[in-house]
């Protein structure tokens, strides 16, 4: 199936080049990590302010919300209007405004993170086409679900600032990005990158938005020896997210195999699997996050539910002192939900604490 890519999707190739340039600049930089992170925040704030400058008063009223309030938890895997989002709808934007949003996302996210986000959105466009239209705009055709690349919302909680905490929200069907920024610090939890379809073809190229997550997880479970695998596999079936939308603040006990029992190679595989979520945000913030997860690795658990043959429907969870990742196929390998949380810092709780 071939589809026409809209401006946000078309920008992917350009964004890849931009992302590579940013990564090279950071790698070659002699700045300290905090200075690099502060510089990333400055660039994200500038891009956010460019979005605001492109809008009229009505548009700015739609996109701006208080730091604290109901908008913070207004995210879901469901399409609109099954779940009623608020914010700036991409379908309402002019090409210039859409370009400003694209620039913001390529600045706030890593190269691979932006790829993942846009591929999730492209999948929703394929879903719309394959499901008989669905419709653009609010409510879809006949008031049904709205699918497609236009059906995603942007919101700022608080004013974009290089010092004070504020939150960038972007999401829609099968996507919720909650990026809290506070000077040189950032958190991207809770976030929900999901996919339906999980595998599709555009112009002869196969797209798997969450393909690396699947492949790395099956590689890890099959790399474990029999004893570690038996510890990792849960005694009861898990078929959906435990800490998904609406489960803020819920605490669950770690289960599965403890990473301290893994070989160094298996620990590296687990870290690289974690990176698929931690690495969605700008590299300047992702690297300190990965360092934190690496330090907590001895207290991190890997749990599995389902068959261990790649291509099967299987759930897995990674849980540590500052991390919960869940991957949950919805009775099909072509419909995937995932969640990424930090129970100590969801919505940047550490940054906004008084």
């Amino acid at each position: 199936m071939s589809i026409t890519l809209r401006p946000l999707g078309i920008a992917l190739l350009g964004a890849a080049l931009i992302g590579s340039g940013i990564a090279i600049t950071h790698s070659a930089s002699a700045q300290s990590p905090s200075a690099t992170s502060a510089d990333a925040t400055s660039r994200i704030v500038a891009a956010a302010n460019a979005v605001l400058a492109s809008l009229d008063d009505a548009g700015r009223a739609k996109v701006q919300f208080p730091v604290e309030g109901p908008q913070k938890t207004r995210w879901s895997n469901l399409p609109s209007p099954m779940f009623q989002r608020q914010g700036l709808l991409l379908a309402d934007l002019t090409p210039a405004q859409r370009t400003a949003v694209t620039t913001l996302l390529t600045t706030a996210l890593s190269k691979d993170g932006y790829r993942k986000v846009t591929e999730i959105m492209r999948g929703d466009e394929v879903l719309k086409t394959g499901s008989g239209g669905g419709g653009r705009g609010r409510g879809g055709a006949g008031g049904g679900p709205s699918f497609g690349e236009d059906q995603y919302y942007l919101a700022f909680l608080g004013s974009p600032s290089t010092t004070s905490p504020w939150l960038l929200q972007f999401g829609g069907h099968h996507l919720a990005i909650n990026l809290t920024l506070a000077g040189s610090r950032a958190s991207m939890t809770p976030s929900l990158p999901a996919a339906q379809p999980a595998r599709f073809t555009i112009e002869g190229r196969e797209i798997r938005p969450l393909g690396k997550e699947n492949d790395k997880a099956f590689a890890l479970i099959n790399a474990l020896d029999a004893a570690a695998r038996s510890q990792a596999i849960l005694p009861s079936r898990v078929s959906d997210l435990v800490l998904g939308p609406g489960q803020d603040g819920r605490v669950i006990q770690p289960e599965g195999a403890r990473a301290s029992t893994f070989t160094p190679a298996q620990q590296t595989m687990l870290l690289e699997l974690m990176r698929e979520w931690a690495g969605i945000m700008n590299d300047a913030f992702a690297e300190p996050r990965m360092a934190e997860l690496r330090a907590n690795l001895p207290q991190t658990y890997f749990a599995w539910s389902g068959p261990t043959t790649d291509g099967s429907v299987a759930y897995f969870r990674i849980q540590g002192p500052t991390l919960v990742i869940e991957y949950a196929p919805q009775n099909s390998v072509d419909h995937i939900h995932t969640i990424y949380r930090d129970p100590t810092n969801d919505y940047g709780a550490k940054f906004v604490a008084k």
Side-chain angles (χ1 to χ4, degrees):
M1 177 182 296
S2 177
I3 65 172
T4 300
L5 303 182
R6 302 191 172 279
L8 191 65
I10 291 173
L12 180 60
L13 293 178
L17 297 177
I18 294 172
S20 297
I22 292 173
I24 291 170
T25 300
H26 286 170
S27 299
S29 173
Q31 294 176 320
S32 67
S34 61
T36 303
S37 300
D39 177 65
T41 297
S42 295
R43 289 185 286 110
I44 294 168
V45 169
N49 284 331
V51 172
L52 292 173
S54 75
L55 303 172
D56 58 16
D57 289 343
R60 283 188 286 271
K62 287 181 180 179
V63 78
Q64 291 184 301
F65 297 84
V67 172
E68 298 296 337
Q71 180 65 22
K72 181 175 285 187
T73 58
R74 193 172 278 133
W75 56 273
S76 172
N77 57 284
L78 295 173
S80 300
M82 294 173 65
F83 183 85
Q84 189 57 59
R85 295 171 177 84
Q86 293 185 18
L88 195 65
L89 178 64
L90 293 187
D92 293 338
L93 302 186
T94 67
Q97 293 165 343
R98 189 78 167 248
T99 297
V101 172
T102 298
T103 300
L104 172 60
L105 293 177
T106 58
T107 305
L109 306 179
S110 69
K111 174 185 173 182
D112 195 58
Y114 182 74
R115 172 203 59 80
K116 193 169 303 189
V117 164
T118 54
E119 288 183 355
I120 290 169
M121 296 169 66
R122 289 182 185 188
D124 211 48
E125 190 78 16
V126 171
L127 183 64
K128 180 188 71 175
T129 304
S131 63
R136 305 181 194 276
R138 297 175 182 84
S146 295
F147 302 120
E149 290 180 314
D150 284 338
Q151 300 304 304
Y152 290 80
Y153 289 76
L154 175 70
F156 300 146
L157 282 65
S159 298
S161 169
T162 58
T163 54
S164 300
W166 64 286
L167 194 149
L168 186 162
Q169 279 188 339
F170 183 76
H173 185 218
H174 282 141
L175 179 67
I177 298 295
N178 291 299
L179 176 63
T180 305
L181 295 154
S184 62
R185 300 178 295 173
S187 170
M188 208 198 73
T189 63
S191 287
L192 187 154
Q196 184 188 17
R199 185 191 300 262
F200 54 94
T201 301
I202 293 180
E203 298 173 353
R205 185 167 65 95
E206 184 179 72
I207 308 294
R208 299 172 66 211
L210 304 180
K212 293 179 182 179
E213 290 82 343
N214 174 90
D215 297 349
K216 291 181 179 182
F218 275 101
L220 175 57
I221 191 66
N222 285 294
L224 301 179
D225 61 26
R229 192 179 306 121
S230 65
Q231 284 186 322
I233 296 175
L234 300 174
S236 57
R237 188 79 170 100
V238 183
S239 58
D240 205 354
L241 300 177
V242 179
L243 298 180
Q247 300 300 318
D248 292 348
R250 182 179 176 186
V251 177
I252 58 175
Q253 293 302 310
E255 299 177 280
R258 193 161 174 163
S260 58
T261 67
F262 290 5
T263 66
Q266 292 163 353
Q267 291 178 346
T268 297
M269 294 173 74
L270 180 58
L271 284 166
E272 288 307 306
L273 179 56
M274 295 178 191
R275 186 183 293 276
E276 292 303 323
W277 284 267
I280 293 175
M281 62 182 173
N282 185 292
D283 292 338
F285 306 120
E287 291 311 314
R289 174 63 167 158
M290 286 303 303
E292 176 185 59
L293 298 180
R294 191 175 296 109
N296 288 330
L297 195 61
Q299 293 81 43
T300 300
Y301 291 77
F302 178 60
W304 190 273
S305 176
T308 58
T309 302
D310 197 352
S312 303
V313 173
Y315 164 100
F316 67 83
R317 182 190 310 149
I318 307 170
Q319 186 169 357
T322 65
L323 174 73
V324 178
I325 290 171
E326 294 182 87
Y327 178 101
Q330 302 298 290
N331 300 313
S332 167
V333 295
D334 206 38
H335 185 179
I336 309 297
H337 291 177
T338 85
I339 193 71
Y340 172 53
R341 289 186 178 273
D342 178 350
T344 71
N345 201 28
D346 274 355
Y347 305 109
K350 291 178 181 176
F351 311 152
V352 300
K354 303 214 182 270

